[in-house]
Each structure stands twice: as C-alpha cells, then as structure tokens.
Amino acid sequence: MRSCAGPRHARRPVPTLLRSIYLPRSTDAAAFAMATYGIPLLVLATTHSAALTGLAFALEWVPRLVAFAFAGMLVDRHGTTAVLRTASAGRALVVLAASVILPTQAGGHGATLTVMLLAALTGILSECSYIAAETAGGAAGRQAGARAHRVQSALLGIDQVATLLGPALAGLLLDWAGAAAMLGVIAVFSLLTSMLAPRESHRAKPAAPLPVLQGLRTGWSVLRALPTLSWLVAGLTVSNLAVGLLQAATPVIVLQQLGHSTADVGLIWSAAAVATLIAVAVCRRSIDRFGLWLVGAVSATIAAVACLAVSFADTYHTYLALIAVLMAGEGGMTVVLRTVRSRLIPADVFGATLSLTILLLLLPFPIAGVLVATVPPTQLGHLITLCAALQALSLTAAFARLRTAPALRARCL
C-alpha cells in the first residue's frame, strides 16, 4: 500500500508543447495546405475548366476572410478546444462526403456543384480551425514569457513545412490514387487534429456572447490601444500587397515572359518555403542575441530590397532566387509579428483581435488579384516596382516608429 498516493488527476503528466501545441498544429496545417492547394486541382480535374478552377480558389478564400470575424468570436466564447475539435471534425465529414458523392457523378453540373461547395465549406472550416490553433499558440507564447519568440518561430516553421509538403502530397495523391485518396488523407489529418486538440487549463470567458460586429469592434479597440502592434500590422499589410501581387503574377511572368512551365512555378514557391524555414531558424537564435527590433528591421530591409529587384529579373533562376530571399525576409517579420502579438494582446480578447489582424493582413491579396487581372501583362513589371516602393516606404515608417517601442527593444534571453 502506498502511503503518499495523491488524487488521480494530480498524477497526470503536464502536457508538453509538442503534445499540446505542435502536434495538433502540424496535423491542422497539413489538412489546411492540402485543402487550399489540392481542391483547386480537384476542380480542374473534375471540370477541365481553368475559369472554374480560379473561381474555386476564390470560393476558398472569400469565405475564409468572412470567417475570421465569427471564428474569433467563437474562440473567445467557447474556447480553442471546442472550436478546433468541431471545425476539424466538420472538415473531415465534408471531405469524406465529397469523396463518396463524386464517384457517383460522371462530370456534369452535379460534379461541378459538389467540388465548388467543397471549396467553400472547407475554406470556412479551415479558417475556424486555424484561428483556434493560432489562439492556442498565442496562449503558449504568453506562458513562455521571454522565450515566446521560440514558440512562435516553431509554429511558423510547422506552417512552412506544411506549405512545402502539403501541395505536393495533394497533387501526387490526386494524380496517382485519385480524388478519394486525396480527400481521405485530408480527412485523416482533420480527425487527428480533432483528437489531439489541446485542453485549456484556464480561460477567461466574456460575460455575454459577443456578436460578430462587436467582436470586430472589440478587436479594433484593442488594436488601437496597442500602437506597437498597430504600426507593425499596418506596415505588413502594405507589404502584403507587394507579396500578393507577386503570388498572383508569378504564373504569368514565369509562363509568358520567362518561357518556363507550370512545374517551374511550383518550384519557386517550394524554394521560397525552404528559404523561409531557414530564415525562421536564424531569426529564432538572432532574437535571443539582438532583440526583436533589430531582427525585424533587417528582415524588412531584405524583403524590400529583394522585392524592388524582382521587377528587373530577366531570367528564371534570378527570379526564383529573389522570390526566395523576399519570402525569407517576410518569414523573419512574421516571427516578430507573432511574438509581439502573443505578448501584447490580452488573453480574454485574443481571438477577436487575432481575427482582425489576420483579416487586415490578408485583405491585400484579393486586391492584388484584381490588379493582375486588370493590368496588361507587359505592364506588370512597372506595377511590381510601384508596389515594392510602397512596401519599402511602409516598412521604413513602421520600424522607424517602433525603434523605441518597449515590446521590441528588450532582448529575449
């Protein structure tokens, strides 16, 4: 008989970051990346229409932008565990239903409607799971204190690995095993996320449910009250216009102007993901030694110079290298943003404020798509130069304003 046996719950091991944060984030990021890039491929394979493929991509992202508002409200009201489990399980059910329905529809309007609904529904559910996983990561960063940047850089690394491997895995499965296999793997990753969702030990709840618009107003009020975060978000929002423009214009530039293939377009973003992973690892150690501001300012300078040089690239390999350098700089700034965000935003309104900041950061992407659609391909170089100049000005203003900000001056030891 043991004389010092405590209550059963007291003997449970404390969950590690790997089990409680990194594993569910990895499975969710894998499902997110496979759905984002694989479902448009599925639309193309089903409908054989480039126009519908582009529309499907829009149907994934437009609901995601709308979902940010109520996703943050749901997280603040119900907590990360409930939202992550529900959204992931819902995504699994949706893709499994599509994998059963599609083989019964031999083309035609029924198959088109199925894949388009699949794109819209997975977009909404993926955004809800992402906000929940990001909120859990923010809480882990707050608990880490001065080492918050290490948690955030690890989460960013997970996202980049998923971005590197997810599209390739989706395309490979679709090509060699068919739509059912690809959708089945997305479902497996989604179910794993639902099962691995971290339990919350403490969570402050609002006194009453917040409507969506009130959640946005709450996030806006918090953002205005945090000038350090406001300046950083503003600078990165303008920077994302240049990044989004390059993402939208790269197929046109690589295929029509540089004379390469669609596979070479994919290689560019794979190289960019690898460069971002290296940059995240470097920034993680550099922040310990030099602090957030210096690492952020250097990353911003690298991104701005590379973006300005892209419009003058006249060979594929030069273009690839500059895009990789640009995304490495963006990766460094993202580590800084995530660290500042996890330190400054109060826990009880983190979901609403996180949703607003992500919404602001993603708004330039559809604008960039409209610009590429309306500007003649021969003028894209001038448009990229203009947006790169705006990026350089905005980042210079932001980091000059943040030079004395306490949240960025302290070193993380």
Side-chain angles (χ1 to χ4, degrees), residues 23-355:
L23 278 180
R25 179 58 167 260
S26 298
T27 54
D28 182 64
F32 187 103
M34 287 187 67
T36 298
Y37 295 96
I39 289 176
L41 289 175
L42 175 61
V43 173
L44 182 60
T46 302
T47 65
H48 306 287
S49 170
L52 288 176
T53 303
L55 179 59
F57 193 81
L59 282 175
E60 280 189 307
W61 279 103
V62 171
R64 287 180 179 185
L65 294 178
V66 176
F68 278 123
F70 69 80
M73 177 268 294
L74 289 175
V75 169
D76 285 337
R77 179 180 177 184
H78 299 290
T80 57
T81 301
V83 174
L84 186 56
R85 284 179 175 170
T86 304
S88 300
R91 180 173 55 201
L93 290 175
V94 167
V95 295
L96 285 175
S99 69
V100 173
I101 293 172
L102 278 175
T104 66
Q105 299 171 324
H109 297 298
T112 300
L113 179 61
T114 299
V115 292
M116 300 306 263
L117 284 175
L118 176 65
L121 291 175
T122 54
I124 294 173
L125 292 168
S126 294
E127 228 33 80
C128 290
S129 69
Y130 173 77
I131 291 292
E134 186 74 355
T135 302
R142 284 192 299 274
Q143 293 175 1
R147 298 180 182 271
H149 65 286
R150 296 191 175 185
V151 176
Q152 297 305 320
S153 61
L155 294 175
L156 182 57
I158 289 170
D159 290 345
Q160 288 302 316
V161 170
T163 301
L164 175 63
L165 300 179
L169 179 59
L172 185 64
L173 287 170
L174 185 60
D175 189 30
W176 290 98
M182 185 195 76
L183 294 174
V185 173
I186 295 175
V188 169
F189 281 129
S190 298
L191 289 174
L192 285 173
T193 303
S194 183
M195 291 186 293
L196 294 171
R199 294 181 180 273
E200 296 167 286
S201 55
H202 301 284
R203 179 171 65 88
K205 291 185 180 181
L210 290 175
V212 172
L213 291 179
Q214 172 130 12
L216 287 176
R217 286 196 294 268
T218 299
W220 183 251
S221 299
V222 174
L223 192 61
R224 290 182 60 188
L226 300 172
T228 298
L229 184 60
S230 299
W231 275 95
L232 197 54
V233 170
L236 288 175
T237 298
V238 178
S239 177
N240 278 351
L241 179 61
V243 174
L245 180 64
L246 286 172
Q247 288 185 0
T250 290
V252 177
I253 293 173
V254 173
L255 295 177
Q256 297 185 3
Q257 298 181 11
L258 300 179
H260 281 252
S261 67
T262 54
D264 291 324
V265 176
L267 180 60
I268 286 176
W269 299 117
S270 294
V274 172
T276 303
L277 281 171
I278 296 172
V280 168
V282 171
C283 288
R284 179 175 178 175
R285 295 183 178 276
S286 299
I287 289 172
D288 286 333
R289 183 173 182 181
F290 301 109
L292 283 168
W293 184 86
L294 184 58
V295 171
V298 171
S299 298
T301 302
I302 291 172
V305 171
C307 193
L308 283 167
V310 163
S311 59
F312 301 102
D314 55 0
T315 67
Y316 171 78
H317 292 96
T318 302
Y319 189 84
L320 181 150
L322 289 173
I323 292 292
V325 172
L326 166 63
M327 297 311 294
E330 289 288 323
M333 289 190 290
T334 303
V335 173
V336 173
L337 171 66
R338 290 188 178 207
T339 305
V340 172
R341 197 166 58 191
S342 66
R343 286 182 179 180
L344 297 184
I345 301 176
D348 57 338
V349 291
F350 190 91
T353 311
L354 173 67
S355 297

Side-chain angles (χ1 to χ4, degrees), residues 364-390:
F365 287 91
I367 296 174
V370 172
L371 289 175
V372 172
T374 55
V375 172
T378 55
Q379 299 299 315
L380 283 177
H382 300 298
L383 181 61
I384 292 171
T385 302
L386 175 61
C387 289
L390 291 175

